[in-house]
Amino acid sequence: MKKIISILMAAIMAVTVFTVSLVPAMADDTNVSSPTASTAKNRRPKLMVNGQTNSTDISYSPEDGESRKITFTYHGEGTLTGWETNLEDLGLVEGVDYEITYNEDGSLTIEFISDEAYEYWHNGDVAIDAIVDYGTETTSGKATTTKKDDSSKSPSTGVSSAVVAGTVAAAGAGIAVLAAVKKRDAE
């Protein structure tokens, strides 16, 4: 009986060590799609300054009594030089689906004419980009920008040290049990 128990314990330890050594780390080097703002509709437009998301320097409000006519105003530092939208990228046609008005005060007004255009607005698919000149240039004459890491690859990692420690602990416990069983047999 004791031999059967010791053989069974040795087999369990061997299987444990083998399977734990094959467990992949939590982060793999395959492509990962992380949740982004596009997965959840927040029903707000994407507001940007020079292509970077910025919801503090731009405000928007519908015209009085006209929920389809929205005015955007830039309040940040720097000089506003223009506006860009993604309406054409959404397949909308100016004059048919929407109308853009550049106001004297520098604000931008968009009137969503078609139901399709208004639905894009209502679902938060519209992006408004304020083009701003901050007047800061480097010695090369180009404005300094920060590059955002948009890659969808997670870092490559090896076997976790916690997995190795667990394996050693399991093996140590198995050896201790075997030693106790042998000691009891000797008595």
Side-chain angles (χ1 to χ4, degrees), residues 25-34 149-158:
M26 292 299 158
D28 194 7
D29 63 352
T30 58
N31 284 337
V32 176
S33 294
S34 299
D149 182 11
D150 286 336
S151 73
S152 62
K153 289 188 72 136
S154 63
S156 179
T157 60

Side-chain angles (χ1 to χ4, degrees), residues 166-182:
T167 303
V168 170
I175 292 170
V177 168
L178 284 177
V181 168
K182 283 188 178 187

Side-chain angles (χ1 to χ4, degrees), residues 89-110:
D89 296 337
L90 294 172
L92 302 176
V93 178
E94 187 169 2
V96 175
D97 296 310
Y98 66 94
E99 196 68 49
I100 291 183
T101 306
Y102 297 95
N103 304 315
E104 289 181 17
D105 63 353
S107 63
L108 171 77
T109 301
I110 301 176

